């Protein structure tokens, strides 16, 4: 799998101030981009497109190790950084001088090339103090689980990424990507904004069967070089069939999401025997999910309005009624994107495309994001005071005092008691008021 990006910003951009940042997505400009090869002592370029990965920097602890890549989609890098539990349960990367913009943050995981270490660690990952990913047993054998991805706003010119051990092996990180995207990318409604983090739960391109990154699909960098898992059928028990076209698709590569044309040049359609389409995925219950559905009318037999009309049901409720792609997009071979935010109380998210009039249902791509409320951080003075305590007492590494002391709430610093102060809108630490540093 190709891993690359053309015209990457040089390392000296890390010294730029936030005032010099690109303020809005402009296809004529390059977005702010950082790629780190964790554990590497040198900058690395990977074939075939000479992608630049900076040597390891910004880490608070951990150790270098050679890497074993469990999946072909993982960048062809040879080293990683792992964080032994004996060094503390939390360890972080702090990437400073990052312009205050909107980013796709993607982390690839790998296995330590050492038979004496746990071959598949289980750990949690947080970004900007918000827990967004928990690796589960078996992740190394599934391509789309070998990385974690979040869409997040940077607001203080610094990006923090922390790894939290669950006691099952050492967190091991192959690479980190920080890819600027449009400020309005994936705007999903009133709940969207700087108080939310979007975790990529699923991204499928239908019909091609070939997994690909945006750049493989001739996308542009403002799309964040998304990974699309290719599927030829939505379910192993379904009677779906793939179709494709070489026709140009209109209304692609447009702000703010910049979807590549190729995802609309293939699709999955129902059959005469089974005209409906159905997709099902496991989710975390009692969460909000943002569902993005992609369509283009590319089937030869469909040339006019009302020849294909269908409803979209999400967990049994009608999310979109009477979808007529040609009518809504304006013509054939034109991209149509629909978005819906849903509350899922159970452990399954089901999407059903049910024909209403004419022929069978069709779909080109599916994206599902978990909407996570961003954690409120600990008051800056409190953190400074606690860091003073840490330095003066020479506390052992095993306490794992890295990152934010109080968040994510599942992984506070060992021995620290936190309270949320509604008046300040931040977490505070019990017993530290007399230690403030001004």
């Amino acid at each position: 799998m190709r891993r690359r990006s053309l015209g990457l910003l040089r390392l000296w951009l890390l010294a730029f101030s936030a005032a010099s940042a690109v303020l809005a997505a402009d296809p004529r400009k390059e977005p702010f981009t950082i790629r780190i090869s964790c554990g590497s002592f040198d900058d690395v370029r990977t074939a075939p497109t000479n992608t630049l990965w900076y040597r390891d920097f910004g880490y608070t602890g951990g150790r270098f190790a050679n890497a074993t890549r469990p999946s072909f989609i993982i960048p062809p890098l040879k080293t990683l950084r792992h964080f032994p539990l004996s060094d503390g349960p939390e360890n972080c990367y702090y990437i400073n001088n990052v312009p205050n913009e909107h980013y796709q943050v993607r982390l690839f995981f790998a296995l330590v090339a050492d038979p004496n270490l746990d071959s598949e660690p289980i750990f949690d990952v947080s970004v900007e103090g918000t827990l967004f990913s928990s690796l589960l047993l078996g992740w190394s054998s599934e391509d789309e689980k070998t990385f974690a991805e979040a869409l997040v706003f940077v607001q203080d010119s610094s990006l923090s990424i922390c790894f939290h051990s669950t006691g099952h092996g050492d967190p091991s990180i192959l690479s980190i990507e920080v890819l600027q995207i449009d400020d309005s990318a994936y705007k999903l409604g009133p709940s969207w904004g700087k108080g939310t983090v979007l975790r990529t739960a699923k991204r499928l391109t239908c019909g091609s069967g070939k997994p690909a990154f945006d750049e493989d699909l001739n996308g542009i960098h403002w799309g964040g070089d998304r990974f699309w898992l290719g599927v030829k059928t939505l379910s192993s028990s379904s009677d779906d069939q793939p179709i494709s076209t070489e026709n140009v698709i209109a209304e692609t590569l447009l702000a703010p999401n910049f979807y590549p044309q190729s995802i609309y040049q293939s699709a999955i359609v129902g059959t005469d025997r089974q005209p409906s389409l159905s997709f099902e995925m496991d989710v975390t219950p009692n969460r909000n999910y943002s569902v993005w559905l992609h369509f283009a009318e590319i089937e030869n037999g469909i040339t006019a309005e009302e020849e294909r009309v269908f409803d979209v049901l999400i967990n049994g409720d009608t999310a979109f009624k009477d979808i007529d792609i040609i009518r809504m997009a304006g013509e054939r071979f034109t991209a149509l994107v629909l978005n819906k935010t849903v509350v899922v109380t159970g452990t399954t998210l089901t999407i059903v495309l049910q024909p209403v009039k004419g022929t069978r249902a069709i779909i080109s791509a599916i994206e599902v994001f978990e909407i996570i409320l961003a954690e409120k951080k600990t008051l800056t003075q409190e953190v400074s005071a606690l860091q003073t305590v840490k330095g003066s007492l020479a506390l052992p590494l095993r306490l794992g005092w890295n990152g934010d002391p109080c968040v994510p709430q599942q992984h506070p610093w060992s021995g620290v008691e936190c309270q949320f102060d509604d008046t300040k809108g931040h977490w505070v630490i019990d017993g530290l008021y007399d230690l403030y540093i001004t």
Side-chain angles (χ1 to χ4, degrees):
M1 178 61 61
R2 300 167 60 209
R3 300 291 301 115
R4 68 290 89 209
S5 180
L6 302 177
L8 293 176
L9 299 179
R10 302 296 297 176
L11 184 58
W12 54 263
L13 272 176
L14 297 178
F16 271 23
S17 67
S20 66
V22 178
L23 298 180
D26 183 343
R28 296 168 299 178
K29 299 179 180 179
E30 285 295 305
F32 184 90
T33 301
I34 297 174
R35 284 185 167 96
I36 299 174
S37 177
C38 300
S40 177
F41 298 106
D42 302 294
D43 292 351
V44 178
R45 289 188 180 271
T46 52
T49 50
N50 211 31
T51 301
L52 173 62
W53 302 82
Y54 296 126
R55 63 185 178 273
D56 206 0
F57 71 93
Y59 49 86
T60 64
R63 305 177 188 182
F64 157 90
N66 291 321
T68 298
R69 297 163 56 228
S71 166
F72 75 97
I73 72 164
I74 289 179
L77 303 171
K78 297 180 180 179
T79 63
L80 56 74
R81 180 162 295 278
H82 68 109
F83 302 96
L85 184 58
S86 58
D87 291 354
E90 291 92 39
N91 274 281
C92 304
Y93 274 79
Y94 289 101
I95 305 174
N96 296 319
N97 299 310
V98 176
N100 292 340
E101 303 293 346
H102 195 196
Y103 294 90
Q104 174 182 284
V105 177
R106 181 165 57 207
L107 315 167
F108 276 99
F109 310 117
L111 305 177
V112 175
D114 185 340
N116 297 317
L117 294 176
D118 190 334
S119 61
E120 191 183 63
I122 307 301
F123 54 96
D124 294 338
V125 185
S126 64
V127 60
E128 291 291 89
T130 298
L131 181 67
F132 78 96
S133 179
S134 297
L135 274 71
L136 302 176
L137 188 65
W139 63 263
S140 62
S141 61
E142 297 186 46
D143 290 335
E144 61 179 328
K145 293 184 180 179
T146 57
F147 68 90
E149 182 182 284
L151 306 186
V152 61
F153 287 92
V154 171
Q155 302 181 62
D156 55 5
S157 300
S158 178
L159 178 69
S160 65
I161 304 167
C162 294
F163 309 99
H164 313 277
S165 174
T166 61
H168 301 280
D170 302 337
S172 52
I173 315 304
L174 183 84
S175 64
I176 296 173
E177 294 175 280
V178 181
L179 309 174
Q180 186 185 358
I181 58 178
D182 192 285
D183 274 357
S184 297
Y186 291 102
K187 191 169 185 178
L188 51 88
S191 64
W192 177 91
K194 296 182 179 180
T196 59
V197 172
L198 295 186
R199 178 185 71 85
T200 305
K202 185 72 68 174
R203 184 178 285 123
L204 304 176
T205 177
C206 301
S208 71
K210 297 179 180 179
F213 291 87
D214 268 7
E215 198 159 331
D216 298 305
L217 303 174
N218 296 316
I220 64 174
H221 301 152
W222 284 104
D225 200 24
R226 291 160 288 216
F227 172 71
W228 300 84
L229 183 66
V231 293
K232 288 189 174 182
T233 180
L234 292 179
S235 145
S236 58
S237 61
S238 66
D239 195 30
D240 314 339
Q241 63 181 18
I243 62 172
S244 63
T245 183
E246 294 184 359
N247 286 76
V248 172
I249 307 298
E251 300 298 311
T252 61
L253 291 178
L254 301 179
N257 293 357
F258 297 96
Y259 290 116
Q261 173 182 244
S262 295
I263 69 170
Y264 302 98
Q265 290 177 314
S266 66
I268 290 174
V269 297
T271 62
D272 291 337
R273 188 175 69 85
Q274 190 175 344
S276 296
L277 295 175
S278 180
F279 169 73
E280 182 175 291
M281 61 177 287
D282 295 331
V283 295
T284 304
N286 302 314
R287 302 287 177 87
N288 292 338
Y289 288 86
S290 180
V291 179
W292 298 73
L293 305 176
H294 302 264
F295 307 93
E297 190 52 79
I298 64 173
E299 191 169 12
N300 289 333
I302 308 299
T303 60
E305 295 182 16
E306 298 191 7
E307 291 183 3
R308 189 197 311 271
V309 181
F310 56 91
D311 292 341
V312 177
L313 286 72
I314 301 180
N315 279 7
D317 296 326
T318 301
F320 303 102
K321 189 172 179 59
D322 295 334
I323 301 302
D324 184 331
I325 300 171
I326 295 179
R327 175 179 58 81
M328 297 173 71
E331 57 183 330
R332 299 180 69 207
F333 305 114
T334 302
L336 172 67
V337 184
L338 301 177
N339 168 241
K340 183 75 172 181
T341 298
V342 297
V343 180
V344 181
T345 56
T347 59
T348 303
L349 174 67
T350 301
I351 302 171
V352 176
L353 284 67
Q354 187 170 287
V356 173
K357 183 177 181 181
T359 186
R360 307 152 298 186
I362 185 172
I363 191 164
S364 298
I366 299 172
E367 296 177 284
V368 180
F369 295 90
E370 180 184 349
I371 304 172
I372 303 171
L373 292 179
E375 295 266 17
K376 299 291 187 179
K377 295 186 177 182
T378 305
L379 198 65
T380 301
Q381 298 97 314
E382 301 272 322
V383 178
S384 298
L386 198 56
Q387 291 286 8
T388 299
V389 172
K390 176 184 176 180
S392 62
L393 297 180
L395 296 176
L397 290 175
R398 61 179 174 79
L399 284 180
W401 281 19
N402 289 286
D404 191 294
C406 299
V407 294
Q409 294 179 52
Q410 299 92 327
H411 298 284
W413 287 5
S414 301
V416 172
E417 296 292 334
C418 299
Q419 301 287 339
F420 190 76
D421 190 322
D422 291 318
T423 61
K424 295 183 173 68
H426 290 277
W427 290 91
V428 297
I429 302 165
D430 287 353
L432 284 181
Y433 290 100
D434 57 335
L435 295 176
Y436 284 165
I437 296 177
T438 58

